[in-house]
Amino acid sequence: MPKPQRLDQILFSQGFGTRRLCAGLIAHGEVKVGGEVVDEPWAEFDTAGLTFEVAGQVWPYVDKALVLLHKPAGYECSQKPKHHPSVMSLLPAPLRERGVQPIGRLDEDTTGLLLMTDDGTLIHQLTSPKHHVPKVYEARCKHPLTGAMVEQLLAGVELKEPESKTPGKFQRPPEVSKAEGAEIVDETLLRLTLIEGKYHQVKRMVAAVGNRVEALHRPQFGALTLPADLAPGQWRWVASPADVWGQ
Ligand code: URA
């Protein structure tokens, strides 16, 4: 049973700034617990199942944060984006402050389900192919899809190296990737299920079978599907990693 914690410590652990800032928020009457203002930073609460309000917004207490974002096009997953804003800018400050980061990456022009957490172990588990977490992609392709393309994707294709500024340098042995699932949804829409998460993997696999991805969307990560009512740019809490594993 966790020990009750001081309210300023609770806010600090949830990303609301330094202990001093958190104590200030509380003393200024910005924090409510159970619908009542608590203005004493030293007041103690049991964190199990605790929710609190800061400046009118409700927050659950969570040891580790796990959220899903409907990633829009035009955002980079990198912490230090080069050409577009970071997906981090779509999250509220407390989640950024506590070190939430993407679990794997989607390209700047890819849309769909992006999980984010501050749990390093979970990031490792969910991105490692050893744990066999399926990710489903829908790729709108330039040319009509054929049964032969699907067979090749399921059998395994040699990925082309991403274009290098210094051709001929840093040559590596060819990478081979195999789809766990591949189906033609309509003439040019391919649904692909992958276990790994290699750089530009879907685009490079589709290029390897002589087609080209024109738009890419990820509707599913593990057992989680993108909620139909979650608009691009919006995020939502995931109750537990078990929802991703499907247990
Ligand atoms: N494969 C890609 O090519 N791009 C993504 O964003 C994700 C998977």
Side-chain angles (χ1 to χ4, degrees):
M1 187 73 179
K3 275 200 312 196
Q5 285 188 48
R6 285 173 57 124
L7 191 55
D8 56 355
Q9 172 61 31
I10 291 175
L11 259 57
F12 172 66
S13 73
Q14 302 299 290
F16 287 87
T18 60
R19 282 285 280 264
R20 202 186 163 92
L21 268 172
C22 293
L25 279 172
I26 298 164
H28 282 98
E30 298 278 2
V31 183
K32 287 184 184 173
V33 180
E36 302 286 330
V37 171
V38 179
D39 58 8
E40 295 176 338
W42 52 87
E44 292 194 339
F45 294 91
D46 188 351
T47 53
L50 179 72
T51 58
F52 53 92
E53 274 176 58
V54 179
Q57 198 179 343
V58 178
W59 292 85
Y61 174 91
V62 281
D63 274 333
K64 296 287 180 196
L66 177 60
V67 301
L68 72 80
L69 172 75
H70 185 164
K71 180 192 174 295
Y75 286 81
E76 293 182 24
C77 285
S78 160
Q79 309 272 9
K80 290 191 184 134
K82 289 203 181 105
H83 306 291
H84 300 272
S86 164
V87 286
M88 300 301 300
S89 65
L90 297 166
L91 296 184
L95 290 180
R96 294 199 301 268
E97 182 73 23
R98 61 185 289 173
V100 164
Q101 52 178 293
I103 302 181
R105 288 187 178 190
L106 292 177
D107 296 336
E108 171 274 316
D109 54 353
T110 302
T111 60
L113 198 164
L114 183 67
L115 282 174
M116 301 175 88
T117 186
D118 56 354
D119 183 342
T121 308
L122 187 64
I123 293 179
H124 177 73
Q125 290 172 339
L126 288 175
T127 50
S128 157
K130 264 201 305 207
H131 288 89
H132 234 77
V133 181
K135 290 115 196 161
V136 179
Y137 295 91
E138 287 170 354
R140 180 59 71 189
C141 298
K142 182 164 188 196
H143 309 292
L145 292 152
T146 64
M149 288 176 187
V150 166
E151 275 167 33
Q152 278 178 274
L153 290 164
L154 290 169
V157 291
E158 212 174 90
L159 297 180
K160 289 205 190 111
E161 278 295 306
E163 274 158 38
S164 162
K165 289 199 182 95
T166 49
K169 258 189 151 185
F170 313 120
Q171 287 291 333
R172 278 176 281 165
E175 283 183 286
V176 173
S177 283
K178 198 160 128 12
E180 284 285 305
E183 55 180 303
I184 299 173
V185 181
D186 66 32
E187 199 187 21
T188 55
L189 186 65
L190 175 71
R191 184 174 298 127
L192 213 53
T193 304
L194 302 182
I195 296 302
E196 311 149 313
K198 290 179 186 157
Y199 180 65
H200 289 333
Q201 187 169 350
V202 174
K203 292 172 184 166
R204 291 163 71 202
M205 287 178 77
V206 169
V209 300
N211 209 324
R212 186 187 161 86
V213 172
E214 299 216 303
L216 187 59
H217 179 73
R218 181 164 71 187
Q220 197 177 331
F221 188 120
L224 279 182
T225 49
L226 192 64
D229 60 348
L230 192 69
Q234 288 187 338
W235 67 277
R236 188 167 285 177
W237 292 101
V238 176
S240 141
D243 294 349
V244 187
W245 298 113
Q247 293 151 351

